[in-house]
Amino acid sequence: MISFLNLKQINQQYLEELSQAARDVIASGWYLLGERVSKFESNLSKYVGVEHAIGVGNGLDALRLILRGYIELGVMAVGDEVLVPANTYIATILAIADNGLKPVLVEPDTNTYNLDLSQLERHITSRTRAIMVVHLYGRVCWSEGLESLAAQYNLRVIEDNAQAIGASWRGRKTGSLGDAAGFSFYPGKNLGALGDSGAVATDDAELADVVRALANYGSRVKYVNEFKGLNSRLDEIQAAFLDVKLKYLDIENRRRREIANAYCRFIDNSAIVLPAGRGHAAVFDEEEHVWHLFVIRSEARDLLRRHLEAEGVQTLIHYPIPPHRQGAFSEMAALSLPVTDRMHETVLSLPISPVMTDIEVERVVSAVNNYSAHSFSISQGLQA
Ligand SMILES: *Cc1c(COP(=O)(O)O)cnc(C)c1O
């Protein structure tokens, strides 16, 4: 079976360095908010190209803390609206709702899976304060039009960069494009820790300062609490692991691109829609995509999934239920989001990871190519 993502194998590559990092942290006797967190923050900010990076507990908290920071700074207030793509992972929307802000769901573009930037303006009201863009599946969501729209309406642009660390737009890395960005280092992300962690990146010194305090009980000076903060800190041991893995991120992303290019070149099946690049062909700018996920679409998605399973290829669905159809957001159940609904019915993620071999890639390609919705249904005794 070709597994969707083999985390053990990914981390095994760096076993010696990771073990040494763990030993050093254990021996140091210092486990939170120490020099390893500072060092990783400094390396991350250099990598991304921002003034400030703040390590936090996870990616959801990174986004929550950015919005809380803006509320504390008076940039936004409870009840204000934040535009967000309707097909994102639910964390993006939870971060908005958690702060008493109103998520305004905007349909994605079927071809890029990203926020349909042409739909933004008609959702802007007097209460809109920010646009939360998500570089979904590792693909950059950015344009000059987005920058000028944000400037015109005085909106903050916050990047959910959980899936796209290492991608860039015209030489600028994601996470440095907007006013602030949230990162996740969940183990399965392109830069994965060995547990939970995340980061906030920004050039805004005031926001950075407030976020740093909010993540540590709302305190800048020990036992002096200026804000009703939370406890969301990056562990020294995770920072040490992340510093090891950050060095290899570009190499890993390059391998992901190689695999994605092979899929785009060699998958040839009229029942399957490949991720579309420019001009709707599978052609991508070198840096615009870091392929956190390789997502195809198919009308009979569940049949295709069973076919691939039978061929020894594990797939996943990102995501099976859109946020507005979740029980958690029953207040959004009446929204009409046909593009989002269609997407969730048809998407399927093929295995992609830096440790996949060429032979595994070829096996995935041939398993996808020999799928025929009709013949597979017959062989399984199903109605086509
Ligand atoms: C993973 C993810 C998050 C949340 O990150 P955690 O570290 O799991 O809290 C937020 N947004 C998106 C798009 C994600 O993929």
Side-chain angles (χ1 to χ4, degrees):
M1 188 59 134
I2 298 173
S3 65
F4 184 76
L5 179 67
N6 189 334
L7 287 180
K8 185 172 155 181
Q9 216 183 330
I10 288 176
N11 290 319
Q12 195 76 31
Q13 305 175 95
Y14 316 119
L15 185 62
E16 276 318 307
E17 276 187 89
L18 293 172
S19 305
Q20 188 57 50
R23 279 195 292 269
D24 290 347
V25 172
I26 294 165
S28 75
W30 193 277
Y31 306 119
L32 280 168
L33 303 183
E35 62 188 42
R36 283 165 189 88
V37 168
S38 303
K39 183 158 162 275
F40 174 65
E41 288 175 342
S42 151
N43 288 337
L44 181 68
S45 63
K46 271 185 226 134
Y47 179 82
V48 174
V50 290
E51 291 291 322
H52 310 277
I54 302 121
V56 299
N58 55 67
L60 171 60
D61 280 359
L63 299 171
R64 289 168 72 200
L65 285 160
I66 291 166
L67 294 166
R68 268 294 292 283
Y70 279 134
I71 291 173
E72 295 293 351
L73 289 170
V75 173
M76 42 188 97
V78 168
D80 282 343
E81 296 168 7
V82 179
L83 307 186
V84 61
N87 64 322
T88 185
Y89 179 55
I90 198 165
T92 325
I93 297 171
L94 287 171
I96 299 168
D98 177 71
N99 278 290
L101 298 163
K102 183 170 180 243
V104 176
L105 306 193
V106 180
E107 291 266 49
D109 174 336
T110 309
N111 291 304
T112 63
Y113 305 126
N114 269 333
L115 195 55
D116 183 346
L117 300 173
S118 73
Q119 297 289 312
L120 282 173
E121 191 162 15
R122 65 185 191 84
H123 290 282
I124 295 174
T125 72
S126 61
R127 294 303 301 266
T128 310
R129 294 289 173 271
I131 305 166
M132 186 91 99
V133 300
V134 182
H135 307 297
L136 198 67
Y137 307 150
R139 180 180 189 152
V140 178
C141 177
W142 202 260
S143 74
E144 275 168 355
L146 172 67
E147 288 178 347
S148 49
L149 190 76
Q152 187 187 337
Y153 291 94
N154 189 28
L155 306 177
R156 295 295 187 282
V157 185
I158 301 160
E159 300 172 75
D160 179 341
N161 199 31
Q163 301 190 0
I165 186 167
S168 50
W169 185 79
R170 298 187 185 168
R172 292 156 61 196
K173 286 246 162 61
T174 57
S176 74
L177 299 169
D179 294 287
F183 291 69
S184 166
F185 309 119
Y186 175 79
K189 298 287 159 76
N190 286 31
L191 177 61
L194 279 68
D196 274 320
S197 49
V200 170
T202 183
D203 283 330
D204 180 339
E206 236 186 341
L207 179 70
D209 192 44
V210 174
V211 165
R212 197 177 280 290
L214 282 170
N216 189 29
Y217 297 109
S219 164
R220 284 183 242 239
V221 177
K222 201 165 186 177
Y223 302 128
V224 180
N225 302 79
E226 286 172 70
F227 311 105
K228 296 187 187 74
L230 45 144
N231 175 359
S232 183
R233 298 179 295 219
L234 174 59
D235 296 336
E236 284 282 289
I237 200 161
Q238 297 301 346
F241 290 149
L242 287 165
D243 240 345
V244 169
K245 293 186 73 181
L246 181 59
K247 291 185 291 183
Y248 303 104
L249 176 64
D250 286 344
I251 296 170
E252 294 206 341
N253 279 343
R254 212 171 299 139
R255 177 62 183 156
R256 287 174 183 273
R257 262 186 216 119
E258 259 171 33
I259 296 167
N261 285 339
Y263 284 163
C264 288
R265 250 185 96 192
F266 299 114
I267 290 177
D268 181 11
N269 186 327
S270 59
I272 281 141
V273 183
L274 289 167
R278 272 169 286 125
H280 297 182
V283 178
F284 297 87
D285 285 328
E286 251 314 278
E287 304 295 326
E288 75 176 272
H289 210 318
V290 290
W291 300 101
H292 173 58
L293 297 169
F294 190 92
V295 179
I296 60 174
R297 279 178 288 139
S298 178
E299 283 307 316
R301 185 259 320 273
D302 297 326
L303 274 185
L304 170 62
R305 193 165 188 220
R306 264 184 283 166
H307 163 82
L308 293 174
E309 179 86 22
E311 296 267 322
V313 176
Q314 188 192 12
T315 59
L316 291 177
I317 298 169
H318 298 90
Y319 298 91
I321 307 170
H324 72 286
R325 302 263 175 229
Q326 299 281 3
F329 287 116
S330 53
E331 69 272 28
M332 295 179 177
L335 291 177
S336 167
L337 295 161
V339 179
T340 299
D341 284 330
R342 285 287 297 141
M343 209 100 85
H344 286 76
E345 285 158 15
T346 53
V347 290
L348 187 68
S349 307
L350 299 181
I352 189 162
S353 90
V355 293
M356 270 179 90
T357 63
D358 289 348
I359 290 168
E360 289 175 320
V361 173
E362 281 168 30
R363 276 178 52 204
V364 173
V365 169
S366 54
V368 174
N369 285 348
N370 70 32
Y371 163 74
S372 144
H374 184 65
S375 61
F376 184 68
S377 337
I378 290 169
S379 74
Q380 302 281 304
L382 301 165
Q383 291 294 111

